[in-house]
Amino acid sequence: MNLSRRPRRNRKSASVRTLVEETTLLAQDLVQPAFLLDSDSAREAVPSLPQIERLGLELMKQECDELLQNGIRGIALFPVFDDALKDDQGSVGLNAGNYFYQSLRELKQTFPELVFFVDVALDPYTSHGYDGLLSADGEVDNDSTVDILCQISCLLAETGIDYVAPSDMMDGRVRAIRQALDVAGHSSTGIMAYSAKYASSCYGPFRDAVGSSKQNGYLDKQGYQLNPANSREAIMELLLDTDEGADIVMVKPAGWYGDIISASRSKLQIPIAAYQVSGEYAMIQAAAERGWMDLEAGRDESLLSIKRAGADLIFTYFARCWNGNRS
Ligand code: PBG
């Protein structure tokens, strides 16, 4: 054949392929989500999240140590409270003496070079499992919820963690949290806003891990999380949170929302995080368990697609088993 272009020439060996590759995934791009127990040495498997365990404080320290040794720079920590401690107001989240705040303080002191992101939302604390306070009509009430989120953010900032990460999708919370942090003297605590957070089917294993309420299957959060059919609305949310003072914004889930990551890339100057959520991880794990997908290939391809879409940092349950920078 007489071809003017033979693109295969640039694919002919591993070295050539490496030289011309456009996207590289690095350990430093990844943040590990982790679930912290009120215990020293307990370890509990989460059946829907293979290879991820809820850990007590001493084991979490080992985990942090290993992450740093593998070049991972960030961790996103979530609490796990006993159902008996939850109420409809999420009061335990406002108890400055609860184990979570104490453990965070100790972890950050032990690992000052690890960047700690901590969720701000009421779902780990409420008996009903929603991210905010319910009003009489059963909807999550925006403004009273924002008030509590500000208080929780200040309690978190006092522990020394690096970024509070509002994941609740209430309106106006980023500006309110920024003001509350500044007034309380925490102007160096950052805000990583879950700005474009969709009402996704992919959060199930996470809700199992934190023990969220599950009366008739997983909760419906469409009253505040984004409709998967919408992209312009997501861009608006990302711009709003940037305007309100977020330091990093997030798109979540990541894999099915690459279009949102890439569209926001050209519109925003601040870093964009993407969260490969529990259900995305579980799908790859489940297919691999059945022998229907190669685990490492599926892991790398999924993460690469998120980076290629334009994410600066990627929250992923795979971070802990990352074994080398790759493309
Ligand atoms: C809580 C929160 C959720 C996730 C992160 N923070 C679940 C939800 O909104 O119901 C999901 C993360 C994951 O699935 O890995 N607000």
Side-chain angles (χ1 to χ4, degrees):
M1 290 168 81
N2 181 14
L3 300 178
S4 61
R5 285 233 159 258
R6 285 186 181 269
R8 288 188 56 190
R9 278 196 287 263
N10 284 344
R11 298 175 206 145
K12 75 177 174 199
S13 70
S15 296
V16 168
R17 288 193 291 272
T18 306
L19 281 170
V20 300
E21 80 195 357
E22 301 173 33
T23 311
T24 312
L25 196 57
L26 305 167
Q28 69 189 45
D29 300 326
L30 307 180
V31 175
Q32 174 69 50
F35 303 97
L36 184 64
L37 291 172
D38 181 7
S39 143
D40 269 346
S41 55
R43 159 199 298 285
E44 293 173 5
V46 184
S48 52
L49 274 180
Q51 292 167 30
I52 300 292
E53 293 171 316
R54 307 181 189 103
L55 299 175
L57 182 59
E58 290 311 311
L59 291 172
M60 191 60 80
K61 286 185 188 163
Q62 284 175 24
E63 178 85 355
C64 291
D65 205 36
E66 280 167 33
L67 289 172
L68 282 169
Q69 279 176 31
N70 289 334
I72 306 293
R73 302 271 134 227
I75 187 166
L77 278 171
F78 300 93
V80 184
F81 281 98
D82 214 72
D83 280 346
L85 293 170
K86 299 180 184 178
D87 60 24
D88 59 352
Q89 309 282 306
S91 318
V92 66
L94 291 177
N95 175 355
N98 83 38
Y99 88 95
F100 191 51
Y101 297 119
Q102 292 176 359
S103 310
L104 288 174
R105 188 169 288 117
E106 197 168 327
L107 284 167
K108 183 63 197 177
Q109 268 166 12
T110 315
F111 301 99
E113 70 278 41
L114 190 59
V115 180
F116 286 79
F117 297 86
V118 185
D119 243 45
V120 179
L122 295 189
D123 59 312
Y125 313 118
T126 51
S127 42
H128 45 70
Y130 288 102
D131 300 68
L133 301 176
L134 297 184
S135 54
D137 61 3
E139 279 300 313
V140 172
D141 184 66
N142 197 86
D143 299 13
S144 58
T145 298
V146 169
D147 243 26
I148 298 193
L149 300 177
C150 290
Q151 295 175 51
I152 292 181
S153 298
C154 289
L155 289 170
L156 287 172
E158 274 156 29
T159 69
I161 58 120
D162 300 276
Y163 290 88
V164 294
S167 69
D168 53 287
M169 288 299 280
M170 296 303 111
D171 294 335
R173 88 283 207 214
V174 172
R175 192 185 309 280
I177 289 172
R178 184 69 272 156
Q179 279 168 359
L181 289 173
D182 289 352
V183 167
H186 299 299
S187 56
S188 62
T189 306
I191 299 179
M192 197 224 46
Y194 286 75
S195 304
K197 176 171 181 181
Y198 282 88
S200 174
S201 55
C202 291
Y203 305 147
F206 171 94
R207 294 185 194 166
D208 295 342
V210 297
S212 276
S213 149
K214 197 179 178 183
Q215 295 106 348
N216 307 306
Y218 295 115
L219 289 179
D220 178 351
K221 300 188 176 181
Q222 293 182 85
Y224 47 102
Q225 298 177 349
L226 284 165
N227 177 351
N230 293 358
S231 60
R232 293 192 300 270
E233 192 184 357
I235 305 293
M236 178 193 66
E237 285 279 14
L238 289 154
L239 291 171
L240 254 179
D241 284 356
T242 306
D243 211 46
E244 289 184 24
D247 300 286
I248 301 173
V249 286
M250 177 185 271
V251 176
K252 171 188 174 191
W256 290 346
Y257 297 87
D259 58 329
I260 309 298
I261 300 171
S262 98
S264 53
R265 177 71 290 163
S266 57
K267 295 198 165 65
L268 300 181
Q269 307 304 321
I270 64 172
I272 299 173
Y275 198 147
Q276 181 181 55
V277 298
S278 58
E280 299 178 83
Y281 173 85
M283 281 190 275
I284 295 169
Q285 287 281 358
E289 261 170 34
R290 293 187 168 202
W292 293 350
M293 185 187 285
D294 179 85
L295 182 65
E296 292 205 350
R299 174 192 73 189
D300 295 352
E301 186 177 342
S302 65
L303 293 172
L304 204 50
S305 82
I306 298 166
K307 179 94 185 269
R308 196 182 63 234
D312 297 295
L313 54 164
I314 304 174
F315 288 56
T316 173
Y317 298 91
F318 285 121
R320 61 190 303 281
C321 65
W322 187 249
N323 52 8
N325 299 335
R326 60 184 67 219
S327 55

